[in-house]
């Protein structure tokens, strides 16, 4: 086992929240170590979900839009410019039972006065063979992010909960027709949201059906739909497919250590990024199941950095040697 020199701040995760926290912490001369994840991990890759996104048009400061991976690289470069250090590995174990807090990457041990958790969340997917390659090319998990690109097209939303119904309703602002495909014969969404969607003339529902195939190599052109009762299949020509079957926060590493809600998201104190462990802060999608936008994640990353810096000041922490 290798024990590395102690430092003041470790950031676990490197999406918009983690990288923004790194910019702020680094500018405060706290030289954070960012354990940014590993490229081979779909749930914990460096840069987060934006690494799977093509055009980003709603991030302030980019009037012409920007590619998701480019935006993340620029944020990373900005943090590095101010002194943030990066470890392109995945954190494998933590111990927050005493100070300093400790984080392991396999057999390597790192310690810090403060840990900022920004491991994000991932969209639950359908599990179809070419699904990942078509994200950003007709397949999306975020109507707010991508709805604009589907003006005048017929699109499909998969799911039956509040998120799916909300996404479908929002997409009617752009699409000529929105088909909700749900594998059961009734929605799980709240009654008022169901009523609103079913009353919308642009929305139609395919009950007892599921998407079993995606057609298109470089861009989605059609989907295969299978009736869950009869087993019959058909092909639908669509402009886009929005998967809205839920999200899963990347919090397994912190189970039984940091307080989580019933869906697994980290719980932070109202109006702050503080967790139940002093000196541990959480930001971004790992604790936000409401907005889940790059800009809100970045904002909470700024909050976590400021919370951490003020906490260190109160603790009279001395700079790492």
């Amino acid at each position: 086992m290798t024990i590395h020199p102690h430092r003041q701040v470790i950031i676990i995760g490197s999406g918009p929240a983690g990288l923004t926290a790194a910019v702020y912490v680094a500018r405060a001369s706290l030289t954070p170590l960012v354990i940014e994840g590993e490229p081979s991990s779909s749930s914990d890759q460096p840069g987060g979900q934006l690494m799977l996104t093509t055009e980003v048009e709603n991030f302030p400061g980019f009037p012409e839009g920007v590619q998701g991976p480019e935006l993340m690289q620029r944020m990373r470069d900005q943090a590095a410019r101010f002194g943030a250090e990066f470890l392109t590995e995945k954190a494998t174990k933590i111990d927050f039972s005493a100070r300093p807090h400790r984080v392991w990457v396999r057999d390597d041990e790192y310690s810090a006065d403060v840990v900022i958790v920004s491991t994000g969340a991932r969209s639950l997917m359908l599990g179809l063979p070419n699904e990942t390659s078509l994200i950003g090319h007709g397949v999306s998990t975020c109507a707010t992010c991508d709805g604009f690109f589907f003006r005048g097209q017929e699109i499909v939303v998969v799911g039956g909960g509040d998120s799916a119904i909300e996404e479908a309703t929002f997409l009617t602002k752009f699409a000529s027709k929105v088909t909700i495909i749900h594998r059961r014969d009734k929605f799980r969404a709240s009654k008022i949201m169901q009523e609103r969607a079913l009353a919308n003339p642009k929305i139609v529902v395919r009950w007892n059906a599921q998407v079993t195939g995606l057609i298109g190599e470089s861009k989605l052109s059609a989907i295969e739909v299978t009736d869950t009762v009869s087993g019959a299949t058909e092909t639908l020509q669509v402009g886009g497919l929005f998967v809205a079957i839920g999200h899963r926060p990347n919090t397994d590493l912190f189970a039984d250590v940091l307080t989580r809600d019933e869906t697994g998201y980290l719980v932070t104190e109202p109006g702050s990024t503080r967790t139940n462990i002093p000196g541990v802060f959480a930001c971004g999608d790992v604790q936000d199941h409401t907005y889940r936008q790059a800009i809100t994640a970045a904002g909470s990353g700024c909050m976590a950095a400021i919370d951490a810096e003020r906490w260190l000041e109160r603790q009279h922490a001395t700079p790492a040697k």
Side-chain angles (χ1 to χ4, degrees):
M1 176 183 291
T2 302
I3 300 178
H4 293 265
H6 177 79
R7 58 183 65 231
Q8 288 184 282
V9 180
I10 288 175
I11 299 171
I12 306 176
S14 61
L19 292 177
T20 301
V23 169
Y24 274 78
V25 171
R27 286 191 76 247
S29 300
L30 296 175
T31 317
L33 173 67
V34 182
I35 303 176
E36 61 179 342
E38 54 189 14
S40 61
S41 173
S42 60
S43 64
D44 193 20
Q45 62 178 336
Q49 293 188 80
L50 279 188
M51 297 302 290
L52 300 175
T53 304
T54 51
E55 195 78 10
V56 178
E57 290 195 329
N58 56 4
F59 199 91
F62 296 90
E64 304 303 323
V66 61
Q67 295 289 306
E70 179 188 352
L71 177 60
M72 290 297 91
Q73 185 61 51
R74 294 180 71 164
M75 294 177 73
R76 188 183 191 276
D77 291 345
Q78 187 174 6
R81 173 193 167 198
F82 294 119
E85 299 175 9
F86 291 86
L87 179 62
T88 310
E89 299 281 356
K90 183 176 181 178
T92 54
K93 187 174 74 169
I94 53 95
D95 183 355
F96 298 159
S97 62
R99 297 181 200 165
H101 302 306
R102 294 184 293 167
V103 180
W104 283 265
V105 173
R106 292 186 292 274
D107 291 332
D108 286 2
E109 178 184 323
Y110 300 84
S111 65
D113 300 305
V114 162
V115 174
I116 296 175
V117 178
S118 57
T119 47
R122 60 186 181 274
S123 300
L124 299 179
M125 303 300 289
L126 301 175
L128 300 175
N130 54 342
E131 188 174 28
T132 300
S133 65
L134 288 174
I135 290 178
H137 302 281
V139 175
S140 174
T141 59
C142 178
T144 305
C145 310
D146 299 331
F148 179 84
F149 298 115
F150 296 88
R151 285 187 177 276
Q153 299 184 43
E154 294 189 8
I155 57 181
V156 165
V157 174
V158 180
D162 282 347
S163 294
I165 305 307
E166 185 176 8
E167 298 260 283
T169 302
F170 175 81
L171 288 167
T172 59
K173 297 179 181 180
F174 309 102
S176 59
K177 176 183 177 183
V178 177
T179 300
I180 301 175
I181 295 180
H182 186 43
R183 59 183 178 177
R184 299 186 176 89
D185 59 1
K186 59 182 178 181
F187 291 132
R188 293 177 286 105
S190 60
K191 185 177 180 182
I192 188 170
M193 294 188 70
Q194 292 187 46
E195 291 175 347
R196 189 176 302 156
L198 294 173
N200 192 313
K202 283 190 174 183
I203 293 178
V204 298
V205 181
R206 290 287 301 269
W207 304 105
N208 297 314
Q210 62 184 42
V211 177
T212 51
L214 304 178
I215 300 170
E217 294 184 7
S218 59
K219 187 179 186 302
L220 181 72
S221 60
I223 61 173
E224 179 187 82
V225 179
T226 300
D227 188 297
T228 60
V229 177
S230 68
T233 63
E234 65 175 300
T235 299
L236 296 182
Q237 304 296 317
V238 296
L241 172 73
F242 286 78
V243 181
I245 57 177
H247 294 78
R248 187 173 187 272
N250 299 318
T251 57
D252 290 350
L253 183 65
F254 313 102
D256 303 320
V257 176
L258 299 179
T259 300
R260 302 188 293 177
D261 66 14
E262 65 278 2
T263 55
Y265 287 85
L266 296 184
V267 175
T268 52
E269 295 180 18
S272 84
T273 60
R274 293 188 295 271
T275 68
N276 59 299
I277 301 289
V280 179
F281 304 86
C283 57
D285 287 7
V286 75
Q287 54 84 50
D288 171 25
H289 49 71
T290 302
Y291 300 104
R292 294 194 297 263
Q293 299 296 302
I295 190 64
T296 53
S300 70
C302 166
M303 292 169 59
I306 292 173
D307 285 346
E309 184 180 357
R310 291 174 178 172
W311 186 87
L312 284 168
E313 289 174 354
R314 289 194 298 270
Q315 301 299 311
H316 303 291
T318 57
K321 301 298 183 181

